[in-house]
Amino acid sequence: MEREIKLREAEKWLSRRDPIMRRLIGKVGPCGLKPMGSPYHVLLKSVIGQQLSLKAASTMEARVIGSFGSGKKFPKPTELRTASLKKLRSAGLSLAKAETIKRIALAYEEGNISDRKLKNLNDVEVLEALCNFKGVGPWTAEMVLMFALDRWDHFSLNDLILRKSIEKHYGIHRDSKKEILTFAEKFSPYRTIFSWYLWKDADGGEGW
């Protein structure tokens, strides 16, 4: 309940801050931002979803999970670490993604990284820790920040849908990254909520 109250406060703040955001909030309705799973789950989900449409990513995620008979959850790190690359690739993953998933699984299994550790890091530290993995770039790490760790003040400059939406609503060219990043600072401390509305308006989903 407390979280819902804070979301409504964020909506009011954004509405007062910007007339375009006020219109989008009126069109879309209450913000439905919520964690999509543990950092481990969202990290794997976002690796799989790199450079794919939402539909294609969902299909591939289901194949990976289904190939382990894990119900609706990703297999435990030990299962993924010991799985053959052939098995992961048979689910449709590229070699690079399969190798990245195995690196992540090994790190979790050995305790070099854990959900608890990530939750205790600040935003910059989370991005640094995750981007140390070969195959995990800024966009992938940002999805963990926003959709697993529930950090409300982040804007994913690496998300093309967000940049296209900025261009559509605010007239800043999608490739003017420095200008977009400076503009997004106007919506701090609710840049994630701001992003959620841009995503929702753009594709009816949450951008990945």
Side-chain angles (χ1 to χ4, degrees), residues 38-54:
S38 68
Y40 172 72
H41 171 91
V42 175
L43 180 55
L44 295 179
K45 179 182 177 71
S46 52
V47 166
I48 291 171
Q50 291 170 355
Q51 300 179 323
L52 293 177
S53 69
L54 186 63

Side-chain angles (χ1 to χ4, degrees), residues 8-26:
R8 302 294 83 79
E9 290 173 351
E11 291 163 13
K12 291 177 183 178
W13 188 93
L14 289 168
S15 292
R16 292 193 299 267
R17 186 67 170 160
D18 180 74
I20 293 175
M21 188 52 46
R22 181 166 60 249
R23 177 176 59 79
L24 285 179
I25 291 171

Side-chain angles (χ1 to χ4, degrees), residues 90-154:
S90 69
L93 293 177
S94 66
L95 177 60
K97 288 184 180 181
E99 290 176 337
T100 298
I101 283 176
K102 286 178 70 66
R103 280 191 287 270
I104 291 168
L106 177 62
Y108 263 88
E109 186 181 34
E110 294 183 341
N112 296 324
I113 193 171
S114 68
D115 289 352
R116 178 176 292 183
K117 288 179 180 179
L118 289 172
K119 290 174 182 177
N120 289 329
L121 298 178
N122 65 37
D123 291 6
V124 173
E125 291 169 337
V126 169
L127 295 177
E128 289 177 350
L130 295 180
C131 288
N132 277 333
F133 289 103
K134 183 180 178 181
V136 175
W139 179 85
T140 302
E142 288 165 343
M143 296 304 105
V144 175
L145 264 186
M146 301 166 84
F147 293 106
L149 298 174
D150 204 26
R151 307 291 172 87
W152 285 13
D153 193 24
H154 193 77

